[in-house]
PDB file of all heavy atoms in Angstrom:
ATOM      1  N   ASN A   7      -5.990  -3.557  10.976  1.00  0.00           N
ATOM      2  CA  ASN A   7      -4.777  -4.178  10.448  1.00  0.00           C
ATOM      3  C   ASN A   7      -4.955  -4.475   8.972  1.00  0.00           C
ATOM      4  O   ASN A   7      -5.843  -5.229   8.574  1.00  0.00           O
ATOM      5  CB  ASN A   7      -4.455  -5.464  11.214  1.00  0.00           C
ATOM      6  CG  ASN A   7      -3.950  -5.158  12.611  1.00  0.00           C
ATOM      7  OD1 ASN A   7      -3.262  -4.173  12.815  1.00  0.00           O
ATOM      8  ND2 ASN A   7      -4.311  -5.983  13.563  1.00  0.00           N
ATOM      9  N   ILE A   8      -4.150  -3.832   8.160  1.00  0.00           N
ATOM     10  CA  ILE A   8      -4.261  -3.982   6.711  1.00  0.00           C
ATOM     11  C   ILE A   8      -3.417  -5.173   6.286  1.00  0.00           C
ATOM     12  O   ILE A   8      -2.190  -5.117   6.307  1.00  0.00           O
ATOM     13  CB  ILE A   8      -3.819  -2.694   5.995  1.00  0.00           C
ATOM     14  CG1 ILE A   8      -4.758  -1.545   6.405  1.00  0.00           C
ATOM     15  CG2 ILE A   8      -3.828  -2.888   4.490  1.00  0.00           C
ATOM     16  CD1 ILE A   8      -4.394  -0.220   5.800  1.00  0.00           C
ATOM     17  N   SER A   9      -4.075  -6.254   5.951  1.00  0.00           N
ATOM     18  CA  SER A   9      -3.381  -7.482   5.585  1.00  0.00           C
ATOM     19  C   SER A   9      -2.607  -7.302   4.286  1.00  0.00           C
ATOM     20  O   SER A   9      -3.104  -6.688   3.344  1.00  0.00           O
ATOM     21  CB  SER A   9      -4.391  -8.629   5.434  1.00  0.00           C
ATOM     22  OG  SER A   9      -3.791  -9.742   4.824  1.00  0.00           O
ATOM     23  N   ASN A  10      -1.390  -7.871   4.233  1.00  0.00           N
ATOM     24  CA  ASN A  10      -0.635  -7.762   2.982  1.00  0.00           C
ATOM     25  C   ASN A  10      -1.254  -8.611   1.878  1.00  0.00           C
ATOM     26  O   ASN A  10      -0.858  -8.508   0.716  1.00  0.00           O
ATOM     27  CB  ASN A  10       0.847  -8.115   3.185  1.00  0.00           C
ATOM     28  CG  ASN A  10       1.048  -9.448   3.862  1.00  0.00           C
ATOM     29  OD1 ASN A  10       0.137 -10.273   3.891  1.00  0.00           O
ATOM     30  ND2 ASN A  10       2.239  -9.655   4.400  1.00  0.00           N
ATOM     31  N   ASN A  11      -2.259  -9.437   2.229  1.00  0.00           N
ATOM     32  CA  ASN A  11      -3.000 -10.170   1.191  1.00  0.00           C
ATOM     33  C   ASN A  11      -3.753  -9.204   0.278  1.00  0.00           C
ATOM     34  O   ASN A  11      -4.073  -9.532  -0.864  1.00  0.00           O
ATOM     35  CB  ASN A  11      -3.998 -11.143   1.827  1.00  0.00           C
ATOM     36  CG  ASN A  11      -3.299 -12.290   2.538  1.00  0.00           C
ATOM     37  OD1 ASN A  11      -2.179 -12.653   2.178  1.00  0.00           O
ATOM     38  ND2 ASN A  11      -3.937 -12.840   3.560  1.00  0.00           N
ATOM     39  N   LEU A  12      -4.057  -8.021   0.815  1.00  0.00           N
ATOM     40  CA  LEU A  12      -4.780  -7.032   0.008  1.00  0.00           C
ATOM     41  C   LEU A  12      -3.914  -6.456  -1.108  1.00  0.00           C
ATOM     42  O   LEU A  12      -4.416  -5.812  -2.015  1.00  0.00           O
ATOM     43  CB  LEU A  12      -5.282  -5.894   0.906  1.00  0.00           C
ATOM     44  CG  LEU A  12      -6.379  -6.255   1.913  1.00  0.00           C
ATOM     45  CD1 LEU A  12      -6.704  -5.065   2.789  1.00  0.00           C
ATOM     46  CD2 LEU A  12      -7.624  -6.736   1.216  1.00  0.00           C
ATOM     47  N   PHE A  13      -2.595  -6.660  -1.021  1.00  0.00           N
ATOM     48  CA  PHE A  13      -1.690  -6.085  -2.012  1.00  0.00           C
ATOM     49  C   PHE A  13      -1.537  -6.966  -3.260  1.00  0.00           C
ATOM     50  O   PHE A  13      -0.934  -6.548  -4.246  1.00  0.00           O
ATOM     51  CB  PHE A  13      -0.293  -5.856  -1.420  1.00  0.00           C
ATOM     52  CG  PHE A  13      -0.281  -4.974  -0.201  1.00  0.00           C
ATOM     53  CD1 PHE A  13       0.763  -5.039   0.706  1.00  0.00           C
ATOM     54  CD2 PHE A  13      -1.307  -4.072   0.042  1.00  0.00           C
ATOM     55  CE1 PHE A  13       0.786  -4.232   1.839  1.00  0.00           C
ATOM     56  CE2 PHE A  13      -1.291  -3.260   1.166  1.00  0.00           C
ATOM     57  CZ  PHE A  13      -0.249  -3.346   2.060  1.00  0.00           C
ATOM     58  N   THR A  14      -2.064  -8.183  -3.192  1.00  0.00           N
ATOM     59  CA  THR A  14      -1.751  -9.162  -4.238  1.00  0.00           C
ATOM     60  C   THR A  14      -2.296  -8.776  -5.610  1.00  0.00           C
ATOM     61  O   THR A  14      -1.735  -9.174  -6.627  1.00  0.00           O
ATOM     62  CB  THR A  14      -2.279 -10.555  -3.856  1.00  0.00           C
ATOM     63  OG1 THR A  14      -3.697 -10.473  -3.613  1.00  0.00           O
ATOM     64  CG2 THR A  14      -1.582 -11.063  -2.600  1.00  0.00           C
ATOM     65  N   THR A  15      -3.382  -8.025  -5.656  1.00  0.00           N
ATOM     66  CA  THR A  15      -3.973  -7.661  -6.949  1.00  0.00           C
ATOM     67  C   THR A  15      -3.534  -6.278  -7.426  1.00  0.00           C
ATOM     68  O   THR A  15      -4.006  -5.809  -8.466  1.00  0.00           O
ATOM     69  CB  THR A  15      -5.508  -7.693  -6.874  1.00  0.00           C
ATOM     70  OG1 THR A  15      -5.950  -6.749  -5.884  1.00  0.00           O
ATOM     71  CG2 THR A  15      -6.011  -9.085  -6.480  1.00  0.00           C
ATOM     72  N   ILE A  16      -2.676  -5.633  -6.658  1.00  0.00           N
ATOM     73  CA  ILE A  16      -2.246  -4.279  -7.019  1.00  0.00           C
ATOM     74  C   ILE A  16      -1.177  -4.323  -8.100  1.00  0.00           C
ATOM     75  O   ILE A  16      -0.177  -5.028  -7.987  1.00  0.00           O
ATOM     76  CB  ILE A  16      -1.703  -3.539  -5.778  1.00  0.00           C
ATOM     77  CG1 ILE A  16      -2.811  -3.351  -4.741  1.00  0.00           C
ATOM     78  CG2 ILE A  16      -1.099  -2.198  -6.162  1.00  0.00           C
ATOM     79  CD1 ILE A  16      -3.953  -2.477  -5.197  1.00  0.00           C
ATOM     80  N   GLU A  17      -1.404  -3.560  -9.167  1.00  0.00           N
ATOM     81  CA  GLU A  17      -0.421  -3.400 -10.247  1.00  0.00           C
ATOM     82  C   GLU A  17       0.173  -1.998 -10.133  1.00  0.00           C
ATOM     83  O   GLU A  17      -0.488  -1.024 -10.498  1.00  0.00           O
ATOM     84  CB  GLU A  17      -1.085  -3.592 -11.611  1.00  0.00           C
ATOM     85  CG  GLU A  17      -1.463  -5.020 -11.952  1.00  0.00           C
ATOM     86  CD  GLU A  17      -0.245  -5.883 -12.236  1.00  0.00           C
ATOM     87  OE1 GLU A  17       0.842  -5.315 -12.456  1.00  0.00           O
ATOM     88  OE2 GLU A  17      -0.381  -7.117 -12.220  1.00  0.00           O
ATOM     89  N   PRO A  18       1.395  -1.865  -9.633  1.00  0.00           N
ATOM     90  CA  PRO A  18       1.979  -0.532  -9.418  1.00  0.00           C
ATOM     91  C   PRO A  18       1.922   0.384 -10.630  1.00  0.00           C
ATOM     92  O   PRO A  18       1.732   1.596 -10.485  1.00  0.00           O
ATOM     93  CB  PRO A  18       3.429  -0.854  -9.032  1.00  0.00           C
ATOM     94  CG  PRO A  18       3.342  -2.201  -8.388  1.00  0.00           C
ATOM     95  CD  PRO A  18       2.290  -2.940  -9.167  1.00  0.00           C
ATOM     96  N   LYS A  19       2.053  -0.173 -11.821  1.00  0.00           N
ATOM     97  CA  LYS A  19       2.068   0.666 -13.032  1.00  0.00           C
ATOM     98  C   LYS A  19       0.716   1.315 -13.327  1.00  0.00           C
ATOM     99  O   LYS A  19       0.629   2.220 -14.163  1.00  0.00           O
ATOM    100  CB  LYS A  19       2.503  -0.167 -14.232  1.00  0.00           C
ATOM    101  CG  LYS A  19       1.595  -1.328 -14.566  1.00  0.00           C
ATOM    102  CD  LYS A  19       2.094  -2.107 -15.771  1.00  0.00           C
ATOM    103  CE  LYS A  19       1.264  -3.345 -16.053  1.00  0.00           C
ATOM    104  NZ  LYS A  19      -0.165  -3.088 -16.209  1.00  0.00           N
ATOM    105  N   ASP A  20      -0.347   0.869 -12.641  1.00  0.00           N
ATOM    106  CA  ASP A  20      -1.688   1.407 -12.899  1.00  0.00           C
ATOM    107  C   ASP A  20      -1.939   2.735 -12.202  1.00  0.00           C
ATOM    108  O   ASP A  20      -2.974   3.366 -12.426  1.00  0.00           O
ATOM    109  CB  ASP A  20      -2.770   0.410 -12.438  1.00  0.00           C
ATOM    110  CG  ASP A  20      -2.803  -0.857 -13.276  1.00  0.00           C
ATOM    111  OD1 ASP A  20      -2.248  -0.831 -14.399  1.00  0.00           O
ATOM    112  OD2 ASP A  20      -3.384  -1.855 -12.814  1.00  0.00           O
ATOM    113  N   PHE A  21      -1.018   3.185 -11.346  1.00  0.00           N
ATOM    114  CA  PHE A  21      -1.289   4.337 -10.485  1.00  0.00           C
ATOM    115  C   PHE A  21      -0.361   5.511 -10.776  1.00  0.00           C
ATOM    116  O   PHE A  21       0.810   5.321 -11.091  1.00  0.00           O
ATOM    117  CB  PHE A  21      -1.156   3.928  -9.011  1.00  0.00           C
ATOM    118  CG  PHE A  21      -2.073   2.806  -8.640  1.00  0.00           C
ATOM    119  CD1 PHE A  21      -1.607   1.495  -8.605  1.00  0.00           C
ATOM    120  CD2 PHE A  21      -3.410   3.045  -8.364  1.00  0.00           C
ATOM    121  CE1 PHE A  21      -2.455   0.456  -8.284  1.00  0.00           C
ATOM    122  CE2 PHE A  21      -4.266   2.005  -8.048  1.00  0.00           C
ATOM    123  CZ  PHE A  21      -3.790   0.708  -8.011  1.00  0.00           C
ATOM    124  N   GLU A  22      -0.941   6.720 -10.631  1.00  0.00           N
ATOM    125  CA  GLU A  22      -0.120   7.918 -10.782  1.00  0.00           C
ATOM    126  C   GLU A  22      -0.004   8.707  -9.482  1.00  0.00           C
ATOM    127  O   GLU A  22       0.745   9.673  -9.396  1.00  0.00           O
ATOM    128  CB  GLU A  22      -0.669   8.822 -11.881  1.00  0.00           C
ATOM    129  CG  GLU A  22      -2.058   9.370 -11.644  1.00  0.00           C
ATOM    130  CD  GLU A  22      -2.493  10.295 -12.771  1.00  0.00           C
ATOM    131  OE1 GLU A  22      -1.614  10.829 -13.478  1.00  0.00           O
ATOM    132  OE2 GLU A  22      -3.714  10.469 -12.948  1.00  0.00           O
ATOM    133  N   ARG A  23      -0.751   8.299  -8.453  1.00  0.00           N
ATOM    134  CA  ARG A  23      -0.636   8.920  -7.134  1.00  0.00           C
ATOM    135  C   ARG A  23      -1.264   8.008  -6.097  1.00  0.00           C
ATOM    136  O   ARG A  23      -2.058   7.129  -6.414  1.00  0.00           O
ATOM    137  CB  ARG A  23      -1.298  10.300  -7.088  1.00  0.00           C
ATOM    138  CG  ARG A  23      -2.784  10.299  -7.342  1.00  0.00           C
ATOM    139  CD  ARG A  23      -3.383  11.694  -7.212  1.00  0.00           C
ATOM    140  NE  ARG A  23      -2.601  12.749  -7.804  1.00  0.00           N
ATOM    141  CZ  ARG A  23      -2.524  13.014  -9.096  1.00  0.00           C
ATOM    142  NH1 ARG A  23      -3.184  12.245  -9.957  1.00  0.00           N
ATOM    143  NH2 ARG A  23      -1.792  13.989  -9.553  1.00  0.00           N
ATOM    144  N   VAL A  24      -0.872   8.238  -4.832  1.00  0.00           N
ATOM    145  CA  VAL A  24      -1.417   7.469  -3.720  1.00  0.00           C
ATOM    146  C   VAL A  24      -1.890   8.439  -2.649  1.00  0.00           C
ATOM    147  O   VAL A  24      -1.198   9.413  -2.327  1.00  0.00           O
ATOM    148  CB  VAL A  24      -0.367   6.515  -3.116  1.00  0.00           C
ATOM    149  CG1 VAL A  24      -0.986   5.693  -1.981  1.00  0.00           C
ATOM    150  CG2 VAL A  24       0.215   5.596  -4.182  1.00  0.00           C
ATOM    151  N   LEU A  25      -3.066   8.182  -2.110  1.00  0.00           N
ATOM    152  CA  LEU A  25      -3.607   8.958  -0.991  1.00  0.00           C
ATOM    153  C   LEU A  25      -3.665   8.010   0.203  1.00  0.00           C
ATOM    154  O   LEU A  25      -4.429   7.048   0.210  1.00  0.00           O
ATOM    155  CB  LEU A  25      -5.005   9.473  -1.344  1.00  0.00           C
ATOM    156  CG  LEU A  25      -5.800  10.224  -0.273  1.00  0.00           C
ATOM    157  CD1 LEU A  25      -5.019  11.420   0.249  1.00  0.00           C
ATOM    158  CD2 LEU A  25      -7.154  10.669  -0.830  1.00  0.00           C
ATOM    159  N   VAL A  26      -2.805   8.243   1.201  1.00  0.00           N
ATOM    160  CA  VAL A  26      -2.705   7.324   2.332  1.00  0.00           C
ATOM    161  C   VAL A  26      -2.964   8.074   3.634  1.00  0.00           C
ATOM    162  O   VAL A  26      -2.492   9.195   3.833  1.00  0.00           O
ATOM    163  CB  VAL A  26      -1.316   6.623   2.348  1.00  0.00           C
ATOM    164  CG1 VAL A  26      -0.184   7.623   2.418  1.00  0.00           C
ATOM    165  CG2 VAL A  26      -1.219   5.627   3.486  1.00  0.00           C
ATOM    166  N   PHE A  27      -3.760   7.457   4.497  1.00  0.00           N
ATOM    167  CA  PHE A  27      -4.155   8.082   5.755  1.00  0.00           C
ATOM    168  C   PHE A  27      -3.388   7.463   6.923  1.00  0.00           C
ATOM    169  O   PHE A  27      -2.877   6.347   6.837  1.00  0.00           O
ATOM    170  CB  PHE A  27      -5.665   7.943   5.957  1.00  0.00           C
ATOM    171  CG  PHE A  27      -6.465   8.684   4.928  1.00  0.00           C
ATOM    172  CD1 PHE A  27      -6.885   8.047   3.765  1.00  0.00           C
ATOM    173  CD2 PHE A  27      -6.774  10.019   5.098  1.00  0.00           C
ATOM    174  CE1 PHE A  27      -7.614   8.728   2.799  1.00  0.00           C
ATOM    175  CE2 PHE A  27      -7.502  10.716   4.134  1.00  0.00           C
ATOM    176  CZ  PHE A  27      -7.915  10.069   2.976  1.00  0.00           C
ATOM    177  N   GLY A  28      -3.335   8.200   8.029  1.00  0.00           N
ATOM    178  CA  GLY A  28      -2.521   7.786   9.165  1.00  0.00           C
ATOM    179  C   GLY A  28      -2.908   6.449   9.753  1.00  0.00           C
ATOM    180  O   GLY A  28      -2.053   5.718  10.263  1.00  0.00           O
ATOM    181  N   ASP A  29      -4.204   6.076   9.666  1.00  0.00           N
ATOM    182  CA  ASP A  29      -4.620   4.804  10.247  1.00  0.00           C
ATOM    183  C   ASP A  29      -3.966   3.614   9.545  1.00  0.00           C
ATOM    184  O   ASP A  29      -3.862   2.533  10.109  1.00  0.00           O
ATOM    185  CB  ASP A  29      -6.151   4.656  10.256  1.00  0.00           C
ATOM    186  CG  ASP A  29      -6.834   5.226   9.031  1.00  0.00           C
ATOM    187  OD1 ASP A  29      -6.197   5.238   7.959  1.00  0.00           O
ATOM    188  OD2 ASP A  29      -7.989   5.653   9.139  1.00  0.00           O
ATOM    189  N   ALA A  30      -3.484   3.823   8.303  1.00  0.00           N
ATOM    190  CA  ALA A  30      -2.793   2.737   7.585  1.00  0.00           C
ATOM    191  C   ALA A  30      -1.403   2.474   8.145  1.00  0.00           C
ATOM    192  O   ALA A  30      -0.857   1.388   7.968  1.00  0.00           O
ATOM    193  CB  ALA A  30      -2.692   3.079   6.104  1.00  0.00           C
ATOM    194  N   LEU A  31      -0.821   3.471   8.829  1.00  0.00           N
ATOM    195  CA  LEU A  31       0.544   3.318   9.335  1.00  0.00           C
ATOM    196  C   LEU A  31       0.601   2.915  10.806  1.00  0.00           C
ATOM    197  O   LEU A  31       1.673   2.898  11.403  1.00  0.00           O
ATOM    198  CB  LEU A  31       1.350   4.596   9.109  1.00  0.00           C
ATOM    199  CG  LEU A  31       1.679   4.926   7.648  1.00  0.00           C
ATOM    200  CD1 LEU A  31       2.713   6.031   7.576  1.00  0.00           C
ATOM    201  CD2 LEU A  31       2.175   3.702   6.886  1.00  0.00           C
ATOM    202  N   ILE A  32      -0.565   2.617  11.399  1.00  0.00           N
ATOM    203  CA  ILE A  32      -0.544   2.023  12.735  1.00  0.00           C
ATOM    204  C   ILE A  32      -0.939   0.544  12.638  1.00  0.00           C
ATOM    205  O   ILE A  32      -1.115  -0.128  13.644  1.00  0.00           O
ATOM    206  CB  ILE A  32      -1.472   2.768  13.716  1.00  0.00           C
ATOM    207  CG1 ILE A  32      -2.918   2.767  13.233  1.00  0.00           C
ATOM    208  CG2 ILE A  32      -0.969   4.185  13.943  1.00  0.00           C
ATOM    209  CD1 ILE A  32      -3.899   3.267  14.277  1.00  0.00           C
ATOM    210  N   SER A  33      -1.070   0.060  11.410  1.00  0.00           N
ATOM    211  CA  SER A  33      -1.360  -1.345  11.168  1.00  0.00           C
ATOM    212  C   SER A  33      -0.115  -2.188  11.418  1.00  0.00           C
ATOM    213  O   SER A  33       1.012  -1.704  11.331  1.00  0.00           O
ATOM    214  CB  SER A  33      -1.822  -1.531   9.718  1.00  0.00           C
ATOM    215  OG  SER A  33      -1.744  -2.867   9.309  1.00  0.00           O
ATOM    216  N   GLU A  34      -0.324  -3.475  11.715  1.00  0.00           N
ATOM    217  CA  GLU A  34       0.809  -4.383  11.897  1.00  0.00           C
ATOM    218  C   GLU A  34       1.645  -4.497  10.623  1.00  0.00           C
ATOM    219  O   GLU A  34       2.830  -4.805  10.677  1.00  0.00           O
ATOM    220  CB  GLU A  34       0.310  -5.777  12.305  1.00  0.00           C
ATOM    221  CG  GLU A  34      -0.217  -5.850  13.730  1.00  0.00           C
ATOM    222  CD  GLU A  34      -0.659  -7.252  14.100  1.00  0.00           C
ATOM    223  OE1 GLU A  34      -0.565  -8.149  13.239  1.00  0.00           O
ATOM    224  OE2 GLU A  34      -1.108  -7.446  15.246  1.00  0.00           O
ATOM    225  N   ASN A  35       1.009  -4.261   9.492  1.00  0.00           N
ATOM    226  CA  ASN A  35       1.703  -4.390   8.210  1.00  0.00           C
ATOM    227  C   ASN A  35       2.059  -3.031   7.606  1.00  0.00           C
ATOM    228  O   ASN A  35       2.121  -2.880   6.388  1.00  0.00           O
ATOM    229  CB  ASN A  35       0.833  -5.190   7.227  1.00  0.00           C
ATOM    230  CG  ASN A  35       0.658  -6.623   7.682  1.00  0.00           C
ATOM    231  OD1 ASN A  35       1.619  -7.308   7.983  1.00  0.00           O
ATOM    232  ND2 ASN A  35      -0.582  -7.078   7.759  1.00  0.00           N
ATOM    233  N   ALA A  36       2.308  -2.057   8.473  1.00  0.00           N
ATOM    234  CA  ALA A  36       2.628  -0.709   7.993  1.00  0.00           C
ATOM    235  C   ALA A  36       3.868  -0.707   7.104  1.00  0.00           C
ATOM    236  O   ALA A  36       3.937   0.047   6.123  1.00  0.00           O
ATOM    237  CB  ALA A  36       2.817   0.230   9.176  1.00  0.00           C
ATOM    238  N   LYS A  37       4.858  -1.552   7.418  1.00  0.00           N
ATOM    239  CA  LYS A  37       6.067  -1.603   6.592  1.00  0.00           C
ATOM    240  C   LYS A  37       5.742  -2.086   5.179  1.00  0.00           C
ATOM    241  O   LYS A  37       6.354  -1.636   4.207  1.00  0.00           O
ATOM    242  CB  LYS A  37       7.118  -2.505   7.241  1.00  0.00           C
ATOM    243  CG  LYS A  37       7.751  -1.896   8.487  1.00  0.00           C
ATOM    244  CD  LYS A  37       8.842  -2.785   9.052  1.00  0.00           C
ATOM    245  CE  LYS A  37       9.480  -2.144  10.284  1.00  0.00           C
ATOM    246  NZ  LYS A  37      10.534  -3.017  10.860  1.00  0.00           N
ATOM    247  N   ASP A  38       4.764  -2.994   5.071  1.00  0.00           N
ATOM    248  CA  ASP A  38       4.347  -3.462   3.748  1.00  0.00           C
ATOM    249  C   ASP A  38       3.653  -2.349   2.966  1.00  0.00           C
ATOM    250  O   ASP A  38       3.795  -2.252   1.745  1.00  0.00           O
ATOM    251  CB  ASP A  38       3.409  -4.664   3.881  1.00  0.00           C
ATOM    252  CG  ASP A  38       4.110  -5.878   4.470  1.00  0.00           C
ATOM    253  OD1 ASP A  38       5.277  -6.116   4.101  1.00  0.00           O
ATOM    254  OD2 ASP A  38       3.501  -6.565   5.298  1.00  0.00           O
ATOM    255  N   VAL A  39       2.888  -1.511   3.684  1.00  0.00           N
ATOM    256  CA  VAL A  39       2.242  -0.364   3.043  1.00  0.00           C
ATOM    257  C   VAL A  39       3.307   0.557   2.452  1.00  0.00           C
ATOM    258  O   VAL A  39       3.227   0.971   1.287  1.00  0.00           O
ATOM    259  CB  VAL A  39       1.369   0.416   4.053  1.00  0.00           C
ATOM    260  CG1 VAL A  39       0.842   1.703   3.419  1.00  0.00           C
ATOM    261  CG2 VAL A  39       0.204  -0.441   4.536  1.00  0.00           C
ATOM    262  N   LEU A  40       4.335   0.865   3.237  1.00  0.00           N
ATOM    263  CA  LEU A  40       5.405   1.747   2.765  1.00  0.00           C
ATOM    264  C   LEU A  40       6.186   1.100   1.625  1.00  0.00           C
ATOM    265  O   LEU A  40       6.598   1.786   0.680  1.00  0.00           O
ATOM    266  CB  LEU A  40       6.342   2.090   3.923  1.00  0.00           C
ATOM    267  CG  LEU A  40       5.740   3.046   4.960  1.00  0.00           C
ATOM    268  CD1 LEU A  40       6.541   3.024   6.243  1.00  0.00           C
ATOM    269  CD2 LEU A  40       5.655   4.460   4.400  1.00  0.00           C
ATOM    270  N   GLY A  41       6.388  -0.212   1.703  1.00  0.00           N
ATOM    271  CA  GLY A  41       7.061  -0.917   0.613  1.00  0.00           C
ATOM    272  C   GLY A  41       6.288  -0.814  -0.685  1.00  0.00           C
ATOM    273  O   GLY A  41       6.870  -0.650  -1.766  1.00  0.00           O
ATOM    274  N   LEU A  42       4.951  -0.892  -0.586  1.00  0.00           N
ATOM    275  CA  LEU A  42       4.107  -0.754  -1.775  1.00  0.00           C
ATOM    276  C   LEU A  42       4.218   0.656  -2.352  1.00  0.00           C
ATOM    277  O   LEU A  42       4.314   0.830  -3.577  1.00  0.00           O
ATOM    278  CB  LEU A  42       2.658  -1.068  -1.419  1.00  0.00           C
ATOM    279  CG  LEU A  42       1.641  -0.919  -2.548  1.00  0.00           C
ATOM    280  CD1 LEU A  42       1.940  -1.891  -3.694  1.00  0.00           C
ATOM    281  CD2 LEU A  42       0.217  -1.130  -2.035  1.00  0.00           C
ATOM    282  N   LEU A  43       4.218   1.676  -1.480  1.00  0.00           N
ATOM    283  CA  LEU A  43       4.353   3.065  -1.952  1.00  0.00           C
ATOM    284  C   LEU A  43       5.671   3.257  -2.690  1.00  0.00           C
ATOM    285  O   LEU A  43       5.723   3.925  -3.730  1.00  0.00           O
ATOM    286  CB  LEU A  43       4.276   4.037  -0.772  1.00  0.00           C
ATOM    287  CG  LEU A  43       2.999   4.051   0.069  1.00  0.00           C
ATOM    288  CD1 LEU A  43       3.068   5.156   1.104  1.00  0.00           C
ATOM    289  CD2 LEU A  43       1.767   4.212  -0.798  1.00  0.00           C
ATOM    290  N   GLU A  44       6.720   2.660  -2.152  1.00  0.00           N
ATOM    291  CA  GLU A  44       8.042   2.762  -2.789  1.00  0.00           C
ATOM    292  C   GLU A  44       8.037   2.057  -4.138  1.00  0.00           C
ATOM    293  O   GLU A  44       8.617   2.549  -5.114  1.00  0.00           O
ATOM    294  CB  GLU A  44       9.100   2.163  -1.878  1.00  0.00           C
ATOM    295  CG  GLU A  44      10.518   2.439  -2.334  1.00  0.00           C
ATOM    296  CD  GLU A  44      11.554   2.016  -1.312  1.00  0.00           C
ATOM    297  OE1 GLU A  44      11.168   1.599  -0.196  1.00  0.00           O
ATOM    298  OE2 GLU A  44      12.746   2.091  -1.628  1.00  0.00           O
ATOM    299  N   GLU A  45       7.353   0.920  -4.215  1.00  0.00           N
ATOM    300  CA  GLU A  45       7.289   0.173  -5.468  1.00  0.00           C
ATOM    301  C   GLU A  45       6.504   0.939  -6.528  1.00  0.00           C
ATOM    302  O   GLU A  45       6.886   0.962  -7.703  1.00  0.00           O
ATOM    303  CB  GLU A  45       6.640  -1.192  -5.228  1.00  0.00           C
ATOM    304  CG  GLU A  45       6.661  -2.105  -6.444  1.00  0.00           C
ATOM    305  CD  GLU A  45       6.047  -3.462  -6.176  1.00  0.00           C
ATOM    306  OE1 GLU A  45       5.652  -3.727  -5.022  1.00  0.00           O
ATOM    307  OE2 GLU A  45       5.932  -4.259  -7.129  1.00  0.00           O
ATOM    308  N   ILE A  46       5.420   1.582  -6.114  1.00  0.00           N
ATOM    309  CA  ILE A  46       4.625   2.374  -7.058  1.00  0.00           C
ATOM    310  C   ILE A  46       5.434   3.564  -7.563  1.00  0.00           C
ATOM    311  O   ILE A  46       5.397   3.908  -8.749  1.00  0.00           O
ATOM    312  CB  ILE A  46       3.314   2.839  -6.396  1.00  0.00           C
ATOM    313  CG1 ILE A  46       2.396   1.626  -6.165  1.00  0.00           C
ATOM    314  CG2 ILE A  46       2.593   3.883  -7.253  1.00  0.00           C
ATOM    315  CD1 ILE A  46       1.160   1.926  -5.345  1.00  0.00           C
ATOM    316  N   GLY A  47       6.149   4.231  -6.657  1.00  0.00           N
ATOM    317  CA  GLY A  47       7.080   5.287  -7.058  1.00  0.00           C
ATOM    318  C   GLY A  47       6.429   6.533  -7.622  1.00  0.00           C
ATOM    319  O   GLY A  47       7.052   7.254  -8.414  1.00  0.00           O
TER     320      GLY A  47
END
């Protein structure tokens, strides 16, 4: 389970790509993972 607390230090502007694996989307906070991807853009 990927806690959304892990997202607190992420600066979306620092990234140019995201590599995400399937185990991240079976987490209880999978919607938060997708929200972060959308924010990074």
Side-chain angles (χ1 to χ4, degrees):
N7 288 325
I8 298 178
S9 168
N10 52 18
N11 291 333
L12 292 176
F13 303 157
T14 57
T15 60
I16 296 296
E17 287 289 344
K19 62 180 175 55
D20 292 342
F21 302 98
E22 62 178 338
R23 63 177 42 77
V24 182
L25 176 56
V26 58
F27 295 92
D29 38 29
L31 291 192
I32 59 170
S33 163
E34 288 182 359
N35 294 309
K37 288 183 179 179
D38 294 320
V39 173
L40 288 164
L42 178 62
L43 300 185
E44 190 171 354
E45 186 179 357
I46 291 172

